[in-house]
Amino acid sequence: MKKLDHIDRHILQILQEDGRAPYTEIASQLGLSEGTIRSRIARMVQEGVFTFVIRTNPEKMGLHVQAIIGLTTKLGWQDQVAQALSKFPQIRFVGAFSGKHDLIVSALFHDNEALISFVNERLSQIEGIVAADVSLELKQYKDYSCLVHDDDVS
């Protein structure tokens, strides 16, 4: 994989601000040709640097409850539990962590009843889960994946 340079990082920053920015506009901002922008974006997508996705607003989709669930698993069961969790549409993130919890899950629900039902009827059925620590999000300040920072492209 080719190392990202200053131009690649600038392209990524522009796309993070507006994923629908036309290549001609990006080229104009950076003083490059549209073909250069098109080929750099194609290369970064092909190399898995990023992918274009649609990002929905959970509130607008009727998903008013976000939970962070810390899970303790039986020794040797972490991968199997993570695989099982990954199949649920309510779960948007599953990660293995050091510390108090073996796995941390982020999940979205229509309401508290749906969350309670998920924990009691779904999580309780997954072999290998020892304990679940459920926390509700009260207020969200930021929700983005890896960002290109301004100081990276100056």
Side-chain angles (χ1 to χ4, degrees):
M1 182 173 96
K2 182 180 172 189
K3 186 176 177 182
L4 297 181
D5 64 14
H6 176 74
I7 294 169
D8 292 330
R9 291 182 184 281
H10 224 103
I11 291 168
L12 289 170
Q13 183 181 29
I14 292 168
L15 289 173
Q16 284 177 324
E17 291 170 8
D18 180 4
R20 299 184 316 164
Y23 293 171
T24 53
E25 182 181 310
I26 297 170
S28 175
Q29 286 184 41
L30 301 180
L32 299 168
S33 72
E34 179 184 353
T36 298
I37 300 303
R38 187 175 302 284
S39 66
R40 282 178 175 257
I41 290 173
R43 175 184 50 79
M44 287 189 283
V45 168
Q46 182 179 352
E47 291 178 354
V49 173
F50 78 98
T51 184
F52 289 101
V53 297
I54 295 173
R55 186 179 173 99
T56 59
N57 179 334
E59 281 283 323
K60 301 282 185 184
M61 302 292 294
L63 300 169
H64 304 290
V65 175
Q66 178 167 315
I68 303 297
I69 306 170
L71 297 168
T72 304
T73 62
K74 291 180 187 175
L75 285 175
W77 282 82
Q78 187 179 53
D79 286 341
Q80 295 92 318
V81 171
Q83 295 294 328
L85 292 167
S86 296
K87 295 176 182 172
F88 290 105
Q90 299 91 334
I91 295 180
R92 55 182 255 174
F93 170 85
V94 178
F97 288 83
S98 64
K100 181 178 179 179
H101 302 292
D102 300 314
L103 297 170
I104 295 186
V105 172
S106 173
L108 296 166
F109 302 93
H110 291 286
D111 53 33
N112 287 343
E113 289 300 317
L115 168 59
I116 292 167
S117 175
F118 179 80
V119 171
N120 290 332
E121 296 172 19
R122 301 281 192 244
L123 287 186
S124 67
Q125 298 301 309
I126 297 175
E127 188 174 0
I129 294 177
V130 174
D133 181 17
V134 180
S135 297
L136 292 181
E137 176 185 274
L138 301 177
K139 182 176 181 180
Q140 189 172 100
Y141 293 97
K142 184 175 181 179
D143 184 15
Y144 287 99
S145 58
C146 182
L147 295 175
V148 176
H149 304 282
D150 288 337
D151 54 349
D152 290 340
V153 295
S154 55

